[in-house]
Amino acid sequence: MLPFLIRRTFGAALILVLISAFTFFMFFAIPQDPAMLACGKNCTPDALEIIHKNLGLDQPVTVQYWNFLIGIFTGRDFAVGYCDAPCFGVSFANDQNVWDTILDRFPLTLSLTIGSLLVFLIVGLGAGMLAAKYRGTWVDKTFSSGSLVVSSMQIYFLGPLVLLALVYSTGWLDKPKYVPFSEDLGGWFMGLLIPWFVMATIFTANYTRMSRSSMIEQLQEEHVKAARAKGMSGNFVFFRYAWRGSLIPIITILGIDLSSLLSGGMVTELTFGLAGLGRLALDSVVNKDLPMLMGVMLVSAALIIFFNLIVDALYAVIDPRVRLS
């Protein structure tokens, strides 16, 4: 297990470097001076030159990229002050420290991602398991048909409908907002309840269908039939052998869906007016704010890689036949 994790960690570091290099050099392919954003409408050549020097834009692009990489580990000096490691630079738009801004937005994105992940795993796997257990009955038909209907919905369509029904028309729930977990647990839960379920909807439908088909396939395996022949109870065989084996393909798809989950989080944040990393990424693109965009992309990529490492490690836990070397 340890050699596997070490190899994956080195591979992850290489991927992050490639992502940062691609984003950095693509940004400078845009035929517009990013210093113009900080200079404003009444910009003079002298002021523009000073901004170039303050932001480090007077140096070659390769030197800027190298300074960016080194700054992540050692920190950097800027005209606005010293940036401690990990330093992702200073925003072109407002001179704010990029890392501090990301840390301020990160708890919302993490809460939104993990909360919706738990919702669609619990609801989706549970519905799929029941559909497989009662295959051919009204339970199976209800969950299977419902998943087809739900999978056709999108966040930007379902979100306003839920707000209209549960917030503006009936007042049953308050408008979604983010309250820090450490300040008010109840406010944190209720503030993100609607975004969690709306964001999880499309994933729930997919995991219901996948869980059902995987469970039905496992119930036909020889080791499951052998367990039944030995006189073990139906529920014990169902949960101990069939359900556990059915999780392997689910985990495989989950590792792939993590990137979709983060992109879905961006749409969810925009739909409900939440200020997380998704909203920050969009604003940085609109404002041509390279340091902020680089920071958000690298943090998002690191999250996806980290979650995939956890997914890979879970294989050995769920299925003893899998060995990671």
Side-chain angles (χ1 to χ4, degrees):
M1 178 71 73
L2 183 59
F4 166 78
L5 293 177
I6 292 176
R7 290 198 305 270
R8 289 299 302 270
T9 301
F10 278 112
L14 178 60
I15 291 173
L16 291 176
V17 170
L18 292 176
I19 291 174
S20 66
F22 177 79
T23 307
F24 199 96
F25 292 107
M26 282 296 294
F27 178 86
F28 282 96
I30 302 174
Q32 184 171 354
D33 189 354
M36 292 296 297
L37 175 67
C39 194
K41 294 182 179 180
N42 301 320
C43 186
T44 64
D46 292 338
L48 190 63
E49 183 179 352
I50 293 174
I51 293 174
H52 272 101
K53 185 176 182 179
N54 291 343
L55 298 178
L57 296 173
D58 58 333
Q59 299 175 334
V61 177
T62 53
V63 175
Q64 293 183 48
Y65 178 66
W66 176 252
N67 291 336
F68 170 79
L69 289 181
I70 295 300
I72 295 177
F73 301 98
T74 63
R76 291 176 62 185
D77 280 312
F78 289 92
V80 294
Y82 181 74
C83 176
D84 293 323
C87 178
F88 287 88
V90 177
S91 170
F92 289 168
N94 50 31
D95 290 336
Q96 291 183 352
N97 186 294
V98 171
W99 180 245
D100 291 341
T101 305
I102 290 175
L103 288 181
D104 182 59
R105 303 287 189 95
F106 180 72
L108 167 59
T109 299
L110 185 64
S111 298
L112 191 61
T113 301
I114 294 182
S116 60
L117 174 68
L118 292 177
V119 170
F120 75 68
L121 283 180
I122 293 173
V123 177
L125 296 185
M129 180 182 65
L130 290 175
K133 185 175 179 62
Y134 300 102
R135 182 183 181 185
T137 66
W138 66 269
V139 176
D140 181 19
K141 295 177 182 179
T142 299
F143 284 128
S144 299
S145 302
S147 65
L148 291 175
V149 175
V150 172
S151 63
S152 63
M153 298 181 181
Q154 297 297 323
I155 295 173
Y156 54 80
F157 171 76
L158 184 61
L161 290 181
V162 174
L163 285 177
L164 179 63
L166 300 181
V167 178
Y168 301 120
S169 296
T170 62
W172 291 345
L173 294 174
D174 293 331
K175 186 178 179 180
K177 61 180 179 179
Y178 175 69
V179 178
F181 179 89
S182 57
E183 294 182 6
D184 184 2
L185 177 60
W188 170 81
F189 180 83
M190 295 304 298
L192 295 178
L193 187 60
I194 292 178
W196 281 342
F197 277 90
V198 170
M199 184 175 170
T201 297
I202 186 171
F203 293 97
T204 299
N206 293 335
Y207 280 80
T208 297
R209 296 197 302 270
M210 288 189 296
S211 177
R212 176 186 179 276
S213 60
S214 180
M215 178 66 75
I216 291 175
E217 181 180 346
Q218 285 295 316
L219 290 172
Q220 306 303 318
E221 293 287 338
E222 293 298 327
H223 68 282
V224 175
K225 294 179 180 179
R228 287 174 174 171
K230 291 179 180 179
M232 297 181 182
S233 67
N235 287 333
F236 180 81
V237 173
F238 187 85
F239 288 102
R240 178 64 176 83
Y241 293 99
W243 184 73
R244 186 175 181 179
S246 70
L247 291 180
I248 296 298
I250 300 297
I251 291 178
T252 302
I253 301 300
L254 178 61
I256 299 174
D257 281 345
L258 289 174
S259 57
S260 300
L261 190 63
L262 285 177
S263 61
M266 179 184 297
V267 178
T268 304
E269 290 175 14
L270 295 175
T271 301
F272 295 105
L274 301 173
L277 291 183
R279 183 60 178 267
L280 185 62
L282 180 62
D283 291 341
S284 65
V285 171
V286 173
N287 295 329
K288 300 178 179 61
D289 191 350
L290 174 62
M292 196 68 72
L293 178 61
M294 290 282 291
V296 174
M297 288 193 64
L298 288 179
V299 170
S300 300
L303 278 176
I304 294 174
I305 292 171
F306 174 73
F307 285 140
N308 273 278
L309 283 174
I310 296 177
V311 167
D312 289 338
L314 283 176
Y315 283 120
V317 176
I318 293 177
D319 191 346
R321 297 172 295 178
V322 177
R323 291 294 181 265
L324 300 177
S325 59

